[in-house]
Amino acid sequence: MTQLADRFHFLARTGGRDKTPVRATAPSVGGTAAVAVLRLYDPIDSWGEWFGVSAKEFAAVLDELPATTTTVELHVNSPGGEVWEGLAIYNALRQHPARVVVVVDGIAASAASVVAMAGDEVVMSPGAELMVHDAWGLCVGDAAEMERMAADLSRESQNLAGLYARRAGGTADEWRDVMRAETWFTAEEAVASGLADRVDEDGDEEQAATARARFDLSVFAHAGRAAAPAPHTPAPAPAGSGSTPLQEGSRAVAFTDEQLTTMRQELGLGGDADEATIVAALTEALAERAEPSAPSPTASLPEGTSLIETATLDELRADARAGREARTQQITDRNDALVRAAVDDGRIPPVRADHWRAQLAADPGAAEVLASLEPGTVPLAAKGHDGDHDGAGNDPVADVRESPVYRNWRV
């Protein structure tokens, strides 16, 4: 987050320019599949238009994609911008039903690196760079206001650290240390850290350097990877370690104790088999049923294997569906209760309720962030003052606080 003058600072190299449209090419359709190619080639800014790309503009482009779109290929060359706008774009991509492939063509710094984390696959072009750092902000007011702003920035930075940890492994605290150091990554270093999946060997390194040169990076502590120290990051999660988060749209399955007992018996599992073991055995049984082999009439079943009657299998399927639906409703009800409680005790304003419901649905870890907010932060009753501050009916402090500069900090 930067001051007003820095809305223009990123673009100081080029002066007047034409904004790159988000939707650079129409979706190319082949058969029943479609690939939509989008570009984020500007700062991320709630003002949109000339200043950069807003979350509203980006979401509008996503909404225009045809229902046949199966892959969204987002090319990124952006120095970042406002934290809330970046998060909104991140969540819009995560909530889209299509597979998302993020390709960093030049630079994905600050809030743009948060957007990149939304990809089901993150690809670095040769010579491309990625940067993570703590949130910035602008505050006008007394010591209490400054302390409140510092707490807000710290909470938001911790939230972003959780997104990096979710993709790369490690903990949010470990990635917060990486952010405090303003860490820059080459394409290869981004892959080694776990933030990206691969380097596009067919890419053009010179083209990536030209793309990065669009922006004046002197606003940062280090003006690019060449001016920054080597990155020190948590070790990436090993393949198959189980630390990879669930894909968007996956659901937890909840069963009653009676259902679990029945499934253990029918699947020939021990009495201590947990839900994951039961689901794995049931999946295997369903796969075998889908491609049956013709058994010999006298063939015996392998030891530890049991047959499941069709009626029992159908009942298990119905129970599984009911469990998924019940669990989904349970999570929705819990999230609604958490948001209502936060509004009631003044941790968040009512207008942010829908935002927090979306955050909780996309990332269960957001519940910890919501719980950490201090009660009474949002006044529950009107607070007066002693009248005009300038004798003309104007309140200059209120004017500052209501301005877009004060209300929107940048990453």
Side-chain angles (χ1 to χ4, degrees), residues 13-329:
R13 292 183 183 275
T14 57
R17 68 185 183 96
D18 293 328
K19 178 179 173 182
T20 301
V22 177
R23 188 169 180 173
T25 65
S28 56
V29 181
T32 60
V35 177
V37 179
L38 311 181
R39 299 194 191 279
L40 179 56
Y41 263 41
D42 291 278
I44 300 169
D45 195 295
S46 60
W47 287 9
E49 300 296 338
W50 188 91
F51 296 99
V53 176
S54 69
K56 182 178 180 180
E57 291 172 325
F58 193 92
V61 171
L62 283 182
D63 291 342
E64 292 174 0
L65 298 181
T68 55
T69 301
T70 59
T71 300
V72 173
E73 184 177 300
L74 174 62
H75 290 255
V76 176
N77 182 42
S78 172
E82 295 181 32
V83 60
W84 291 112
E85 295 295 295
L87 279 171
I89 294 174
Y90 167 91
N91 284 313
L93 288 167
R94 291 289 296 168
Q95 293 161 13
H96 197 277
R99 180 172 183 266
V100 176
V101 178
V102 175
V103 182
V104 181
D105 288 339
I107 183 174
S110 191
S113 70
V114 175
V115 172
M117 297 302 100
D120 296 301
E121 182 182 18
V122 179
V123 181
M124 301 292 292
S125 297
E129 297 182 7
L130 188 146
M131 184 272 277
V132 302
H133 70 164
D134 252 10
W136 298 353
L138 173 67
C139 180
V140 177
D142 57 16
E145 290 284 354
M146 299 292 181
E147 291 172 358
R148 187 177 298 111
M149 180 64 162
D152 289 342
L153 288 174
S154 182
R155 281 193 297 270
E156 194 51 52
S157 294
Q158 194 71 15
N159 184 30
L160 300 182
L163 298 182
Y164 297 127
R166 180 179 180 178
R167 165 165 285 277
T171 67
D173 288 338
E174 289 173 329
W175 277 99
R176 183 70 189 282
D177 289 337
V178 176
M179 294 164 63
R180 290 188 179 101
E182 189 186 284
T183 303
W184 290 78
F185 301 86
T186 63
E188 293 75 16
E189 289 167 344
V191 173
S193 71
L195 294 175
D197 298 298
R198 63 182 176 89
V199 177
D200 181 7
E201 299 299 338
D202 296 329
D204 188 334
E205 186 168 351
E206 184 175 341
Q207 184 178 2
T210 301
R212 291 198 311 274
R214 281 188 76 210
F215 306 110
D216 183 353
L217 304 179
S218 63
V219 66
F220 298 122
H222 309 293
R225 176 63 183 88
H232 297 282
T233 60
S241 65
S243 63
T244 302
L246 294 175
Q247 292 296 320
E248 190 72 21
S250 62
R251 297 289 185 267
V253 179
F255 301 104
T256 66
D257 291 340
E258 182 179 353
Q259 291 170 341
L260 291 173
T261 299
T262 300
M263 285 188 284
R264 290 188 187 102
Q265 293 172 349
E266 296 294 339
L267 293 169
L269 300 174
D272 59 347
D274 59 14
E275 293 185 25
T277 304
I278 293 172
V279 171
L282 181 58
T283 301
E284 182 178 354
L286 292 173
E288 292 174 354
R289 180 177 173 82
E291 299 180 4
S293 58
S296 169
T298 59
S300 60
L301 294 174
E303 184 178 354
T305 303
S306 300
L307 290 175
I308 303 177
E309 294 181 354
T310 300
T312 301
L313 185 60
D314 290 342
E315 182 180 354
L316 289 174
R317 287 171 171 166
D319 289 343
R321 284 194 297 271
R324 284 194 295 269
E325 292 170 359
R327 181 58 176 163
T328 299
Q329 185 60 47

